[in-house]
Amino acid sequence: MDIHAEKARVRKIIKQRLSLYCQQEACCSQEEAKAIALLIQSPQYQDAESILAYAALTHEFSLDQLIPQALETGKKVFLPKSFSHNYSMEF
């Protein structure tokens, strides 16, 4: 199986699992808040001068709470622009 087909297959599985897990928005928001709190407390995040993030789609883990916090603490935040025609990203 080629790599693009395998990645598409894995993405589909993850999307299905996330949609089942996050059927209740409140549950998802609580889990996201817990995960972001853990991330912010980590030494890796504390020491970072910049972070890479993404604008989440509806089925993805949201970083809406993290991005403003990172900017407020002086971190540089980079968001990718992805191109499906050639599977590339620009920051």
Side-chain angles (χ1 to χ4, degrees):
M1 177 179 289
D2 84 60
I3 189 73
H4 298 298
E6 179 63 11
K7 286 172 79 173
R9 185 186 73 76
V10 170
R11 283 188 187 109
K12 183 177 179 180
I13 292 169
I14 291 170
K15 185 177 177 180
Q16 289 171 338
R17 288 181 183 171
L18 281 172
S19 69
L20 290 173
Y21 180 72
C22 288
Q23 285 179 354
Q24 296 177 346
E25 188 175 322
C27 171
C28 238
S29 296
Q30 291 171 356
E31 295 300 320
E32 289 169 351
K34 287 179 191 176
I36 288 171
L38 286 172
L39 175 65
I40 289 171
Q41 295 171 13
S42 72
Q44 295 85 353
Y45 180 84
Q46 293 290 318
D47 294 342
E49 294 177 8
S50 59
I51 64 167
L52 301 176
Y54 58 88
L57 299 174
T58 56
H59 64 280
E60 295 177 324
F61 187 90
S62 174
L63 298 177
D64 290 350
Q65 298 173 36
L66 177 67
I67 294 170
Q69 191 280 342
L71 292 170
E72 288 171 12
T73 57
K75 296 185 186 307
K76 295 178 186 172
V77 178
F78 296 93
L79 298 168
K81 180 175 182 177
S82 59
F83 301 93
S84 59
H85 69 280
N86 64 358
Y87 303 101
S88 66
M89 288 186 192
E90 289 182 7
F91 291 88

